[in-house]
Amino acid sequence: PDSQNFWGVLIKDSTPDRNTFDGNLRIPGLELKTIPIRCGLMGWSSSAYRTVSVINIEMRIMHEIAGGLVKSIVIEAPNGIMFNEEPEAVRVVPRPLPLLPARPSRVAGESLSLNLDESQAIVAGFYNIRFEVSNSGSTPVDNTWNIRVMKDMSVEFSHVLPGYEPDQESPYEVSTGRVVLASSAARRDSQGVASLSSCLVAACLLLGLELLKS
């Protein structure tokens, strides 16, 4: 019940008796809710100071969420990390979230909001939220990323992810959009060259057979 939903913190000294000299036993707890959202790992393309990095946050929708139950997904970066404000810098793959067409995302300081279309349901499945940031020149004291799923001012879901340290490797590879596009183009070019080579070989074989017959 709400009357018992409190956390307590006691600050004790280092004496053998561990005397309490300060504390708060009435810290309100969050209202426990059931929402079918799970957050996975966070990956990054660069952890170096003062570099541009592509961040990828894994999210899973366990079963369909009806339209109107949630309004936005808010991602708060550690102090000093800045989001790229260009709309093209934010993507959701491999399937899109039902975002508002007019303004799918919004950046306010160290906060990125994905504005959901409340008239559409969020289908079950895996989502990767990808966005571009500029790393700061120092490691923040509170080096954590906060993810909140909101309905107006109410927090329906929250999750905290640890941030990365300089030169720390990502738990999985995160490619930038330019690399992905270049790789796709390279594959198309290589496929085209292979097809052309196959045609030339076939033509030479046919020509050789005709010469043998004559």
Side-chain angles (χ1 to χ4, degrees):
D2 292 340
S3 60
Q4 299 178 5
N5 189 17
F6 292 95
W7 292 79
V9 176
L10 297 176
I11 303 177
K12 297 178 177 291
D13 60 25
S14 58
T15 62
D17 294 334
R18 303 297 300 273
N19 297 313
T20 300
F21 63 89
D22 200 358
N24 186 351
L25 301 179
R26 300 286 293 179
I27 303 174
L30 293 175
E31 179 186 356
L32 297 181
K33 301 179 179 180
T34 300
I35 189 166
I37 298 177
R38 303 290 183 271
C39 273
L41 297 175
M42 182 180 76
W44 51 88
S45 63
S46 173
S47 60
Y49 286 147
R50 298 186 178 89
T51 59
V52 174
S53 180
V54 176
I55 307 297
N56 188 93
I57 294 178
E58 300 173 334
M59 181 173 285
R60 182 182 182 185
I61 307 299
M62 307 299 291
H63 57 79
E64 184 176 294
I65 300 176
L69 292 183
V70 293
K71 188 173 182 179
S72 63
I73 299 173
V74 180
I75 301 171
E76 289 188 356
N79 185 43
I81 293 182
M82 303 300 296
F83 290 95
N84 186 335
E85 299 187 14
E86 295 294 328
E88 295 79 10
V90 181
R91 294 187 299 153
V92 182
V93 295
R95 69 183 74 203
L97 285 168
L99 303 177
L100 289 175
R103 194 174 189 183
S105 63
R106 180 175 63 89
V107 172
E110 291 152 352
S111 176
L112 168 67
S113 297
L114 302 181
N115 302 316
L116 297 168
D117 186 346
E118 297 181 73
S119 67
Q120 298 186 48
I122 304 175
V123 300
F126 291 92
Y127 297 82
N128 290 288
I129 303 174
R130 306 188 68 179
F131 49 89
E132 192 174 283
V133 300
S134 297
N135 290 332
S136 64
S138 60
T139 302
V141 176
D142 182 9
N143 190 19
T144 57
W145 294 73
N146 292 275
I147 295 92
R148 300 194 308 273
V149 178
M150 309 288 296
K151 182 181 180 182
D152 297 322
M153 299 301 293
S154 174
V155 178
E156 302 296 313
F157 171 86
S158 62
H159 189 80
V160 178
L161 291 167
Y164 44 84
E165 301 284 343
D167 301 322
Q168 180 181 348
E169 290 188 6
S170 173
Y172 52 87
E173 183 178 357
V174 177
S175 300
T176 64
R178 288 183 293 274
V179 171
V180 172
L181 291 175
S183 299
S184 299
R187 284 196 298 270
R188 288 195 298 269
D189 291 343
S190 62
Q191 290 169 355
V193 171
S195 299
L196 180 60
S197 300
S198 299
C199 292
L200 290 174
V201 170
C204 291
L205 289 174
L206 290 174
L207 180 59
L209 289 174
E210 292 296 329
L211 291 175
L212 288 174
K213 290 179 181 179
S214 60

